[in-house]
Amino acid sequence: MILVLFGAPGVGKGTQAVILAEKLGIAHLSTGDAFRAAIKNQTAVGMLAKEYVDAGKLVPDEVVTRIVEEAMSGTQFADGCILDGFPRTRAQADALDQLLAKKGLSIGRVVNLEVDDETIIARLLQRGRADDTEAIIRDRLNVYNNETAPLLEYYGEKGLLHSVNGIGDVEEVSSRVLVALN
Ligand code: AMP
């Protein structure tokens, strides 16, 4: 099963992805985590990605697609995976379709976690990551609205999209996500 966890920054994709990966016994791929690890380890991808991640901008599509392709070639992804934070642009969505088609796979479901902007800002300020200052959070929400949110229509038209209320405690939200998957 290829599952895409979709939603603005701060809706809880990462938290839910970890829980679902455990419950469903499939791998979890977070492009944000992959970039943070690459930056910490000062790899070539990390050097490329740093200025974008620090500023809350999208890393260029080719770089993102390359790390996803590399990660998905690993054996732990043979039974499927939960994608968290990817795709974020139409070009990434197309690249994902092509990548999956080469493996004879396709997306099973796209779960969209819905949380209002004010709740998101409060949550992220509390999390306090380096890119979680109020100004950068607002930029990331703008990037989401302009570049990523249009994918909702794309996946909606394909009949893959299920929206879930992301407000509530972690267990409550994860049971809603599981319902959306059944
Ligand atoms: P996240 O942990 O998902 O909030 O991602 C943190 C940062 O990593 C984002 O603000 C982007 O700079 C970068 N990033 C993660 N995933 C992507 C993606 N699919 N496309 C472009 N940039 C990404």
Side-chain angles (χ1 to χ4, degrees):
M1 156 82 122
I2 308 286
L3 169 67
V4 175
L5 269 184
F6 198 89
V11 294
K13 298 187 295 293
T15 306
Q16 293 301 329
V18 170
I19 296 174
L20 283 173
E22 165 94 357
K23 286 213 163 115
L24 304 173
I26 53 177
H28 164 207
L29 176 58
S30 155
T31 43
D33 285 350
F35 286 129
R36 281 183 289 276
I39 291 169
K40 188 159 162 238
N41 298 325
Q42 298 185 316
T43 67
V45 164
M47 310 284 214
L48 261 170
K50 186 175 178 359
E51 62 174 300
Y52 299 97
V53 174
D54 285 350
K57 303 269 182 278
L58 292 184
V59 175
D61 290 329
E62 318 77 68
V63 180
V64 186
T65 306
R66 201 178 347 130
I67 65 152
V68 171
E69 190 158 11
E70 267 169 34
M72 287 183 79
S73 63
T75 50
Q76 75 271 35
F77 293 100
D79 295 331
C81 72
I82 299 171
L83 294 170
D84 152 17
F86 177 86
R88 266 166 144 111
T89 63
R90 180 57 196 269
Q92 292 178 18
D94 290 341
L96 176 61
D97 288 343
Q98 280 169 22
L99 180 71
L100 293 176
K102 270 196 259 171
K103 298 170 181 282
L105 298 171
S106 58
I107 296 172
R109 204 125 319 169
V110 177
V111 174
N112 175 37
L113 293 173
E114 293 182 314
V115 176
D116 61 278
D117 282 5
E118 292 317 307
T119 308
I120 285 177
I121 292 168
R123 279 188 188 177
L124 290 180
L125 285 174
Q126 216 175 20
R127 181 172 72 176
R129 215 165 67 191
D131 56 347
D132 286 339
T133 65
E134 182 144 7
I136 299 178
I137 293 168
R138 292 207 184 266
D139 280 349
R140 284 158 61 209
L141 286 173
N142 281 334
V143 168
Y144 172 79
N145 287 327
N146 294 331
E147 307 198 41
T148 308
L151 289 178
L152 290 171
E153 198 180 328
Y154 174 70
Y155 287 125
E157 280 168 3
K158 286 176 174 263
L160 293 173
L161 188 69
H162 293 254
S163 286
V164 164
N165 176 4
I167 296 182
D169 63 38
V170 171
E171 292 75 25
E172 214 177 331
V173 175
S174 69
S175 11
R176 290 183 202 134
V177 173
L178 285 168
V179 169
L181 292 180
N182 284 319

